Structures are given as structure tokens and as C-alpha cells.
Amino acid sequence: MPTPPENRELSPYTGWTRAHWETTADRLLDAVRPYASPRGALIDLPGPRPSWSGARSDGLEGWARTFLLAALRVAGSQGEDPHGHLARYAEGLAAGTAEPGTEGPDSWPLTTDTRQAVVESASVALGLRLTRPWLWDRLDDRTRRRVVDWLRPALRPSPVDNNWWLFGLTVAGFLQDAGIETDRAATTVDRSLARIEDWYLGDGWYSDGDNRAFDHYNAWALHFYPVLHAHLAGDRTLLDRYGPRLRRHLDDHVHLFDANGAPLPYGRSLIYRFAAAAAPWLGTLTGHTPLTPGAARRLASGSLRHFLDRGATDTNGLLTLGWHGPYPPLVQDYSGPGSPYWASKGFLGLLLPADHPAWTDPEEALPAERTDTVRPFAPAGLLVQTTAADGLVRLHNHGSNHVQSAPGAEDDPGYARHAYSTRTGPSTGPAPADNHFALLAADGRATTRGPATPAGTGKDWAASLHTPRPGVRILSATLAHGRTELRAHLVLGAPEGTPVRQTGWATTPDGPHAELHPVHGYGPDATELPTGETLQGPGSRALALHGVTRGPETLFVALASLTAEAAPAPVADLADVRVTGHTLHVTWQHGSTPGTTSTGTTTRLDLDALVPEDL
């Protein structure tokens, strides 16, 4: 299948057009064909291990998630299907939903027996909804009845109390459209939306459950399913409620994409890769977006190209379990060989007609390549920092509680680090954690961070509290300007003489340049620690500073920088820091790009004012 020629006049940043998206979809779908079961109901992809749900569930997952891609491809072409995608999936649909008692090697696990089947029911239902005129309406009555019987249990309350509530909503939306179980489906829709309402924190941000979990699921689940359901149902009331929330979230989400196309690797299920483009496409599809059509396509095409150009598919054209190539530490236990194909959500833009401005307007620059930005995501306790000189994105984490909190439990590297970027780690395994502040035991073991409680945000700062040991609290704050970061940690209640360590960015040999400079409380020199392999590649290393507590309250302050600029100025030259008690006075000397940020801007932050009175 030949690659379409690039069009640098229409797409000056990526060269890609709609034809590239269609060709990529066809290639991904053709690549999985050899792995289909005899009657096409399971797609058993090769991989290092099955998920915790087992091989049959993994085969359903491979089928359902690639079916969603086929549905977007065919629906976007108004039923044109020269590759015969839907015919294959129609056969698999009939074989997978066998009559009870007649199950064969192709039959699907039931949603009542296998929880993962509830997840996959949403992709099955959404695919059927999108292709209804060309697939569902042409099935025989017996097959349709069996499919409904398989889907129906997903209308029950969710077995998992997070974004899983939206899988039942998606099944209900299809059944409503098809005129089946409409009253029960309406109840499921109302119940599901009521549950996620409990987690809406404002400004476009949801928590993925009750535990302050913030990551890409905000965009590719918590906004994706309600807004797309409202759009497909033509429900103006729902769209008027959820559409503006999506628009507000996209105001932040667009800042999480590097100029090289990479989304920020923060959270879980990162193997879905360019699914991160789903929400920007959805905003364009529904009209609820701050992005121009050209900027939306530039973001989406940049993300898709980023991964395909860096080995996301193997020699057989299959998406691998990893970030660029395979990377086992990134893979959750619930993920199997078919899991990466939820990247199919990123092809939502194919639902836009070929003459839509999103496909015909010239690409436009992303925020990360236009100007330096420091932007708080206040409800989530996050602070994003981008620099136009190198297009690099950094995220400072002062709000995530989606980490292990049991005594002695290891931190989840996808959630517990103080900072993440589009071109670094996080480090995993026994190596020292990057971007981490720890108390050190006599044997050198470092404390974990555990849950972080937000302590406030400002226009250029964010802060949080955590408890590394019983009776010890640490107030951490990040102040940012241009490419410069000021990292402050006020240690409360630790015994005098307790060793502490601050680590910096885990960079690979060909990665960006990182610095870590002591300002207050640390020794004069930074050491270099090996942090092993990260999702960016092997051989990563991080700088580290060391110090000791000097009483019941000890403040540690450092400057840090991560940049891909050529011959960058030392970070110590970029900020003048004065510490008075527990108050920080920072005069920022330079921005990353001349003219993009002011020189001489001063930030003052009183850390004592952020400590709760009852601490």
C-alpha cells in the first residue's frame, strides 16, 4: 500500500493529509488480519504475555478495538469500504455472539463473567452505532438478537468505580439509536452521567474516580464518551452541558503536546499513544473547541507521525506494547497484546468530511512552538511549562493521588513524580527515581512520595503536601518561568540530621540537556546517578543534590532546567533567588526565547502560608 505524497503547502509542519490517515488506518487493519480466529471473532495478536483477564478476553479486545478503527474508517467514507473491513467484522460479530450452549473457539467471553468484556462492549457498541446503515441494518434478525443479548448486561451499574461507568453509557447510546431497550438504556445514560458528575472539579477537569487521578483519561474517556454520545444522539441539552467542558479542557490539553508531536507521558495506559488526539478531533467535530481547524489537524497529525516515525509498529505492522517501541515497564497488568489498539480513538477525525476545514485549512502552530507558557491546571494541582525555543513540554505534579498509599508500597512512576516531560523518563525499577525528593535511611533507601495533597496554585507556581514517613510532612513547591524551575521543599517534623536527596530529569545520551543547581540547604555539588532505561531509551542518568535537616523545619531550594536549546546558558544565570525564612523571592532574568517572556519579573511565595494550620 503506497504512502501518499507529503503536502508541505497544506501541512507545513507534518506534511500529512487526510489520505495519510486513511492509508494508516487501512495498514493497521490489514496488519491484524492474519491473527484472526477461524471465523474472525477473535484477533489473537502476538505479545510477551496475556493480560490478567486471559487469552480469550485478549482476543476479544483485539477484535473490538480494531473494529472501532474499521468503523471510523468506513463511517468517515460514508460506507465506502474497498478493503472489505466491515464484511470481516460482520462475520466475527456473528461468530463471537454464539447461542448459549453452542460456544465454540470463536465465541466471546460474557460481560457477566469477564469484567474486561464490559470495557470492550463499548467499542463494539460504538462501532455498531457509527456503521449502523452499512452493518447493523444488514444483519439477520438472529444475529442482531444474539448481539443484543451479549451487550445487554453492560447496562448494569459499572463493576469499577471510575471511567468504566461510560462503557455502559456507550452501549446504551447504541441501543437507543437502534430502538432496543430504550427505557432501560435511558436509565443507564442518566445513572452513568450522574456518577461522573461527582468527579467534575471545574475548568474542564474530572478526577477518574474518587482518588484524584488525573491523566489522559480526562480527554480520551471522561470527555470523549459523553460528548460523542450527545453528538451522535443529537441531544442538544447534553451537548450544551458537556461540550463547554470539553472546550475548557482542550484549553489545557493542547498545551500537553510537544512541537515534535509527542503527548506528555503521564499516568497510565500510555500504550494507547495517539489516542491523545481523540479529544481535539471531538472538539472540532462538535464545534466545542478553542483550536482552529488547522491547529487541530497539526496536533493530531503530529501525534500520529511522532509514534509511527519512531517505531510504534513492529515489522509486521502491529502496534507494540510500549511508547515508541516495546517498553515492558510501561505496561499495566490489565493490558494485553490487543490493548494498544485503543489508539483507534485518535482516528475520530475521519468522521469529519473531506471538505471540512480541518482537512483543507493549512496547519497552524501549536502553543508549545508559539510562545513560552507557564499555566496552572488548578483543579488538578498541575503546572504546565512550555518553551518555544525547543517546543518542549514539562508538567509539574502537585495534585495526583492515584498512587499506592500502603506502607512500604512503591510509587507508581506514572503518577508520583514531581515532574514529567515530553522528552524524558520517568525512570522505573530499582534505579533512583527521577524528579523526586526523598528522605534517606541509613542503608540509603529513599522514601516514596505517596499521595500528594494540593496546597495551592498561582499563575506561575503550584504546591503540594505529602507524608513520606509517619509524623513527617513535606511541603513542596515549583515555580517556573521560561525554561527555569525553582524547586522548594520544606521538611516538617523530621529528626535533625536526616539525609535528603533531590533528583532531576532522567535524560538519555541523545536527549535534552538537564541541570540541577543548589540554592539553599543542599551541599555545593550535584552528583550523577544512573537511572537505567526509560521510555525514551537506555542509558538515562539524573543529577542529584544532597543535604541534611537542621531542625524541626528545614527548607531545601534548587534551580532546575531541561532544554533542547543549543549551548544553553547555565540555569544559575536565569534566576536571582533570595530566601528569607520560608519565603522565596525569585527574579527571573531571562525567558527561553527572546521576546516571549519578560526580563526582571519577580515572584514571591510564602511557604508558611501554604501549610495548614492544623499540621
Side-chain angles (χ1 to χ4, degrees):
M1 191 180 301
T3 300
E6 291 189 355
N7 185 335
R8 288 288 171 175
E9 182 176 351
L10 179 64
S11 303
Y13 295 92
T14 71
W16 274 32
T17 65
R18 181 185 176 95
H20 290 88
W21 282 83
E22 293 172 336
T23 299
T24 300
D26 291 333
R27 284 175 172 167
L28 290 172
L29 290 166
D30 288 348
V32 302
R33 287 191 181 193
Y35 303 95
S37 58
R39 295 183 59 197
L42 303 173
I43 295 182
D44 296 308
L45 298 171
R49 57 151 182 81
S51 73
W52 64 16
S53 297
R56 184 173 292 269
S57 175
D58 292 348
L60 166 62
E61 186 175 62
W63 189 95
R65 299 186 181 196
T66 57
F67 172 53
L68 178 57
L69 177 57
L72 291 167
R73 174 69 174 99
V74 175
S77 300
Q78 288 297 297
E80 293 184 14
D81 190 11
H83 292 262
H85 297 313
L86 287 192
R88 294 190 301 115
Y89 285 97
E91 181 181 2
L93 193 68
T97 55
E99 295 277 6
T102 64
E103 296 90 343
D106 284 78
S107 58
W108 294 345
L110 300 178
T111 57
T112 50
D113 298 335
T114 304
R115 291 200 310 182
Q116 187 64 33
V118 176
V119 181
E120 306 318 316
S121 72
S123 292
V124 174
L126 182 54
L128 290 172
R129 193 176 191 181
L130 294 171
T131 60
R132 186 180 162 198
W134 311 290
L135 179 54
W136 179 258
D137 290 348
R138 298 180 183 180
L139 293 175
D140 61 82
D141 290 343
R142 183 167 173 264
T143 299
R144 285 193 289 199
R145 177 179 56 79
R146 296 204 313 265
V147 172
V148 170
D149 287 345
W150 187 84
L151 289 171
R152 188 182 288 112
L155 298 179
R156 299 173 179 176
S158 172
V160 181
D161 198 25
N162 61 4
N163 68 82
W164 279 43
W165 284 93
L166 299 174
F167 304 142
L169 174 143
T170 304
V171 171
F174 163 65
L175 294 178
Q176 282 180 316
D177 275 6
I180 301 167
E181 295 267 17
T182 55
D183 290 344
R184 188 179 175 193
T187 297
T188 298
V189 170
D190 292 343
R191 180 175 58 222
S192 301
L193 294 178
R195 187 68 186 107
I196 69 165
E197 197 68 21
D198 294 339
W199 304 323
Y200 185 63
L201 303 180
D203 290 344
W205 283 89
Y206 292 89
S207 174
D208 188 14
D210 291 329
N211 57 357
R212 290 190 59 84
F214 303 108
D215 56 25
H216 290 290
Y217 275 98
N218 261 278
W220 69 43
L222 292 158
H223 287 285
F224 180 86
Y225 290 111
V227 176
L228 185 56
H229 165 70
H231 171 72
L232 295 175
D235 190 324
R236 177 52 58 183
T237 300
L238 286 183
L239 198 56
D240 286 346
R241 181 191 308 169
Y242 295 104
R245 293 182 183 182
L246 171 63
R247 180 187 182 93
R248 180 62 188 86
H249 185 70
L250 289 174
D251 265 331
D252 291 339
H253 186 65
V254 68
H255 289 276
L256 299 178
F257 288 80
D258 194 295
N260 69 15
L264 191 93
Y266 166 59
R268 62 192 177 98
S269 298
L270 297 177
I271 59 173
Y272 304 158
R273 296 179 173 104
F274 42 85
W281 278 133
L282 182 59
T284 302
L285 182 68
T286 62
H288 290 282
T289 180
L291 302 175
T292 63
R297 187 177 81 256
R298 186 268 179 273
L299 181 155
S301 293
S303 183
L304 181 58
R305 279 210 70 168
H306 175 84
F307 290 107
L308 295 181
D309 289 350
R310 290 167 175 79
T313 55
D314 64 17
T315 55
N316 295 316
L318 302 176
L319 288 173
T320 59
L321 288 158
W323 186 246
H324 293 150
Y327 184 58
L330 200 68
V331 184
Q332 275 77 31
D333 290 340
Y334 57 75
S335 296
S339 296
Y341 284 86
W342 241 2
S344 299
K345 292 182 179 182
F347 284 80
L348 190 70
L350 291 179
L351 296 184
L352 295 163
D355 60 355
H356 190 281
W359 295 116
T360 61
D361 282 5
E363 288 180 341
E364 297 181 20
L366 294 176
E369 51 202 350
R370 289 201 306 263
T371 185
D372 292 1
T373 300
V374 177
R375 181 184 182 96
F377 302 165
L382 305 174
L383 185 74
V384 70
Q385 176 189 17
T386 71
T387 42
D390 51 13
L392 204 154
V393 178
R394 312 148 192 84
L395 187 73
H396 304 285
N397 171 27
H398 292 279
S400 173
N401 269 343
H402 189 64
V403 293
Q404 298 296 324
S405 56
E410 292 297 320
D411 282 338
D412 184 336
Y415 286 98
R417 300 291 192 260
H418 281 276
Y420 298 84
S421 91
T422 48
R423 302 189 201 176
T424 62
S427 61
T428 59
D434 60 299
N435 289 324
H436 181 56
F437 182 84
L439 310 181
L440 299 180
D443 61 2
R445 284 182 300 167
T447 56
T448 58
R449 185 182 186 191
T453 302
T457 57
K459 67 179 180 63
D460 58 359
W461 63 271
S464 59
L465 281 155
H466 70 278
T467 305
R469 289 177 183 165
V472 180
R473 300 293 296 276
I474 298 177
L475 175 70
S476 300
T478 305
L479 293 77
H481 181 93
R483 65 173 171 90
T484 311
E485 313 156 33
L486 183 75
R487 301 181 178 186
H489 303 280
L490 179 59
V491 181
L492 306 169
E496 185 170 358
T498 300
V500 304
R501 182 181 69 199
Q502 167 76 74
T503 56
W505 298 98
T507 58
T508 53
D510 58 349
H513 175 70
E515 288 185 82
L516 191 61
H517 176 74
V519 172
H520 181 85
Y522 296 109
D525 299 314
T527 58
E528 191 175 63
L529 302 174
T531 54
E533 183 175 2
T534 72
L535 53 83
Q536 301 286 354
S540 66
R541 307 183 74 82
L543 295 172
L545 298 172
H546 291 81
V548 295
T549 57
R550 295 177 175 84
E553 300 180 349
T554 308
L555 178 62
F556 298 90
V557 183
L559 286 168
S561 171
L562 180 73
T563 181
E565 292 180 56
V571 69
D573 295 345
L574 302 184
D576 182 21
V577 183
R578 181 165 55 90
V579 178
T580 305
H582 298 156
T583 300
L584 307 172
H585 305 265
V586 189
T587 301
W588 309 104
Q589 300 300 328
H590 298 283
S592 172
T593 303
T596 61
T597 51
S598 58
T599 298
T601 300
T602 298
T603 298
R604 176 185 178 276
L605 186 62
D606 180 1
L607 298 179
D608 287 331
L610 303 179
V611 178
E613 293 182 2
D614 59 351
L615 189 64

